[in-house]
């Protein structure tokens, strides 16, 4: 019985550690949304491969990332996604950076999860496209800014 309880606890912890966020799950229900989830295990397999996603160079920070969630909406899906992101940001994120370049707005937000662990939300909004990249891990602001090219 003891082994069963220990196995159950370990399985629950592993499931919680690799599960997508509630925000990610909610976005998957929006029609015409594209979602990508990359776990820590997959990040470790990537290793030294050049990995870039929507202007973010993940290869330099891959070892420090726990997971990455990428959500993109185009055309009709862009507005609902942008609204959902605004709701997320209002739930306790600090605005680190905001850049407006013609029709595009790029913003970076952060929230502290523990003394060394942070969650970063990078958003890119245009009239007909909205992209959100959420990554969690033991990353400094400097590392995130370097990866995003800012």
């Amino acid at each position: 019985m003891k082994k069963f309880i220990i196995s159950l606890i370990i399985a629950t912890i592993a499931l919680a550690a690799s599960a997508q966020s509630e925000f990610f799950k909610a976005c998957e229900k929006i029609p015409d949304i594209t979602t990508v989830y990359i776990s820590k295990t997959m990040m470790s397999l990537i290793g030294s491969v050049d990995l870039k996603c929507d202007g973010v160079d993940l290869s330099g920070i891959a070892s420090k990332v726990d997971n990455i969630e990428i959500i993109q909406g185009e055309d009709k899906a862009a507005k609902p996604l942008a609204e959902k992101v605004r709701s997320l940001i209002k739930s306790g994120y600090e605005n680190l950076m905001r850049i407006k370049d013609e029709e595009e707005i790029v913003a970076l937000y952060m929230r502290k999860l523990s003394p060394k662990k942070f969650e970063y939300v990078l958003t890119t909004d245009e009239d007909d496209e909205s992209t959100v990249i959420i990554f969690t891990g033991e990353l400094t602001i400097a590392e995130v800014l370097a990866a995003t090219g800012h």
Side-chain angles (χ1 to χ4, degrees):
M1 183 68 160
K2 218 186 241 187
K3 286 182 181 180
F4 173 75
I5 292 172
I6 291 171
S7 297
L8 184 61
I9 291 170
I10 290 171
T12 303
I13 291 170
L15 182 61
S18 66
Q20 296 92 4
S21 69
E22 291 302 316
F23 174 78
F24 186 85
K25 291 176 186 175
C27 288
E28 285 185 314
K29 295 176 183 174
I30 300 172
D32 302 320
I33 290 286
T34 301
T35 59
V36 178
Y37 175 82
I38 305 171
S39 70
K40 184 171 188 70
T41 304
M42 183 59 89
M43 292 299 292
S44 69
L45 293 173
I46 292 169
S48 61
V49 174
D50 267 351
L51 179 62
K52 293 184 181 176
C53 173
D54 203 37
V56 178
D57 184 1
L58 301 170
S59 55
I61 60 172
S63 65
K64 294 184 171 193
V65 173
D66 291 342
N67 62 61
I68 297 173
E69 298 172 340
I70 304 165
I71 305 124
Q72 183 184 34
E74 294 180 4
D75 302 323
K76 295 183 295 186
K79 189 174 180 177
L81 178 57
E83 289 171 5
K84 195 162 262 322
V85 169
R86 280 192 286 279
S87 295
L88 173 70
I89 298 308
K90 289 179 183 177
S91 69
Y93 289 81
E94 178 182 350
N95 188 345
L96 298 177
M97 173 186 78
R98 184 176 172 89
I99 301 169
K100 183 178 186 303
D101 182 24
E102 297 192 22
E103 300 300 318
E104 181 179 46
I105 298 173
V106 177
L108 178 63
Y109 303 90
M110 174 194 80
R111 122 179 126 137
K112 192 173 192 174
L113 301 175
S114 71
K116 291 184 177 182
K117 192 170 287 206
F118 298 89
E119 182 172 75
Y120 296 92
V121 178
L122 179 67
T123 64
T124 306
D125 287 312
E126 296 180 66
D127 286 339
D128 61 345
E129 185 177 342
S130 186
T131 303
V132 183
I133 302 174
I134 302 172
F135 40 102
T136 305
E138 294 185 8
L139 299 156
T140 66
I141 293 171
E143 290 169 323
V144 172
L145 290 174
T148 60
H150 297 97

